[in-house]
């Protein structure tokens, strides 16, 4: 595939993930805020709790991405935090939903869509790094061979 097509695909994915992040983040924030407030927490706690959940998801995801980019496997802690944050986000969204199957699916969808699309973006980043690494190796091989002669 050409570099221009790769770039277009990557930027399209980034744009879609950014749009989903805005939509899902807003919906998820409102649901979590509502849930925390319904359980008697003061306004400032209700305002900050959703940010702590989503912040943990972003921190864990970017840690895993950084590990992947540097050739390391992600450790247990970032994976555990990513799973815990994702479950907490889904659970909070479902908890405030209309108590029907369709209501719960609708409420869970933004959080699911954001998590899934973010993973698609990180896969592209990982593949891009792998492709760059293989190109770098190909460029270095002829130089290494000529030095040995």
């Amino acid at each position: 595939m050409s570099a221009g097509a790769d770039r277009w695909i990557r930027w399209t994915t980034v744009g879609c993930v950014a749009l989903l992040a805005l939509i899902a983040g807003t919906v998820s924030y409102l649901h979590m805020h509502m849930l925390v407030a319904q359980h008697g927490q003061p306004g400032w706690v209700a305002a900050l709790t959703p940010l702590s959940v989503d912040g943990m998801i972003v921190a864990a995801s970017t840690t895993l991405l950084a590990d992947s980019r540097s050739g390391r496997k992600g450790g247990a802690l970032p994976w555990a935090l990513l799973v815990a944050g994702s479950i907490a986000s889904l659970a909070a969204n479902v908890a405030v939903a209309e108590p029907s199957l369709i209501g719960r699916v609708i409420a869970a969808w933004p959080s699911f869509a954001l998590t899934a699309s973010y993973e698609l973006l990180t896969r592209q980043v990982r593949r891009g790094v792998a492709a760059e690494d293989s190109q770098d190796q190909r460029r270095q091989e002829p130089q290494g061979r000529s030095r040995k002669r």
Side-chain angles (χ1 to χ4, degrees), residues 72-119:
R72 296 184 310 250
K73 291 191 176 192
L77 180 60
W79 278 110
L81 295 176
L82 177 61
V83 170
S86 298
I87 290 170
S89 179
L90 276 169
N93 282 283
V94 170
V96 297
E98 176 188 307
S100 70
L101 177 62
I102 292 175
R104 289 182 177 128
V105 169
I106 289 169
W109 185 255
S111 181
F112 169 76
L114 178 60
T115 302
S117 63
Y118 189 76
E119 177 56 27

Side-chain angles (χ1 to χ4, degrees), residues 9-10 12-14 16-17 20 61 65 112-128:
I9 291 168
R10 194 171 310 120
T12 300
T13 304
V14 167
C16 289
V17 171
L20 279 169
S61 295
L65 182 58
F112 169 76
L114 178 60
T115 302
S117 63
Y118 189 76
E119 177 56 27
L120 293 175
L121 176 62
T122 59
R123 279 183 173 189
Q124 285 189 23
V125 171
R126 282 187 223 116
R127 285 184 187 139

Side-chain angles (χ1 to χ4, degrees), residues 28-38 42-48 50:
S28 184
Y29 180 89
L30 291 172
H31 287 165
M32 280 191 265
H33 183 278
M34 187 184 328
L35 182 66
V36 173
Q38 284 175 353
W44 67 273
V45 173
L48 293 177

